[in-house]
Amino acid sequence: MTEKAIEKSASVVADYDLESEIDNHLRRIFYIKPVKETHNCKPYIPEFFGVLSLTDVRSPERKLWVIYHSKQPDLDKTVDEIHQKYGKKNMYDLFRKPVFSGLALRASVKKHFAQLKWYTNGNVLEAPPKSHFNDERVVKAINDLHHLEQQRLYNYVMVKNHWSKQYS
């Protein structure tokens, strides 16, 4: 045998992975989805959800809040864009926490306040006139929604963990 044939046969043997072959066959037999090679998201970059209190200079009796979500590297850029749109002097940060999914928390916050008959346009929440809500009550409501979201994720992970222990 020549040297190239020996190198080629050695590389073919080295490329064969028995564990991946067994894994592929078991996934086909039990109808389990194949493992993705590349992941679209970077799990080590946290996502933040925040609320800014907004004071309208033209009508100070209006109660406005701006909600936002962003990944950590884009957080300053997002907040700066909001400051440019509404004015930096008119707002201050009320709530900012890392979350699993800022989009999901934003949707649940909008749904909660829409059920209270608030005006929810885009990222702006506006309390109805003569509402008893102030900054502290809004933060408490959002904190409760954040806690519910964390509780749902915890329950999901625990059910999956229990399921995997049961059938292992």
Side-chain angles (χ1 to χ4, degrees):
M1 287 173 60
T2 64
E3 285 184 34
K4 288 187 178 184
I6 292 172
E7 288 176 12
K8 188 174 183 180
S9 65
S11 68
V12 170
V13 172
D15 289 342
Y16 183 76
D17 187 15
L18 181 63
E19 287 185 32
S20 66
E21 281 294 315
I22 291 173
D23 185 48
N24 288 339
H25 287 295
L26 289 176
R27 287 182 182 280
R28 283 188 205 128
I29 291 171
F30 294 111
Y31 301 105
I32 301 173
K33 293 180 182 176
V35 178
K36 289 185 177 178
E37 294 294 324
T38 59
H39 297 286
N40 295 337
C41 65
K42 297 177 182 172
Y44 53 86
I45 298 178
E47 188 169 353
F48 283 84
F49 177 83
V51 178
L52 297 168
S53 178
L54 176 62
T55 306
D56 193 1
V57 179
R58 293 169 279 177
S59 57
E61 67 276 355
R62 286 177 70 194
K63 299 174 187 173
L64 299 168
W65 292 273
V66 178
I67 57 177
Y68 64 92
H69 62 92
S70 176
K71 298 276 187 184
Q72 187 175 14
D74 303 329
L75 188 61
D76 292 333
K77 179 182 167 191
T78 304
V79 172
D80 287 340
E81 287 173 0
I82 293 171
H83 283 310
Q84 286 178 356
K85 185 173 182 179
Y86 296 107
K88 195 169 189 171
K89 295 178 185 177
N90 304 336
M91 62 178 41
Y92 56 93
D93 212 352
L94 282 180
F95 181 87
R96 183 186 294 179
K97 285 194 178 178
V99 294
F100 179 73
S101 172
L103 194 60
L105 186 58
R106 176 183 174 267
S108 66
V109 166
K110 282 185 72 169
K111 180 180 176 187
H112 172 75
F113 286 114
Q115 288 176 349
L116 294 175
K117 307 293 187 232
W118 282 36
Y119 307 110
T120 56
N121 294 331
N123 290 337
V124 178
L125 302 173
E126 182 178 353
K130 299 179 184 175
S131 173
H132 60 280
F133 268 86
N134 56 9
D135 289 343
E136 291 83 24
R137 292 197 71 181
V138 169
V139 169
K140 183 182 180 314
I142 292 173
N143 220 357
D144 291 344
L145 292 170
H146 179 253
H147 179 69
L148 284 174
E149 186 76 20
Q150 285 183 327
Q151 189 67 39
R152 269 188 241 126
L153 288 170
Y154 175 78
N155 290 342
Y156 175 76
V157 168
M158 292 310 293
V159 164
K160 288 294 187 181
N161 185 25
H162 178 71
W163 181 81
S164 67
K165 280 184 179 179
Q166 188 175 4
Y167 294 105
S168 292

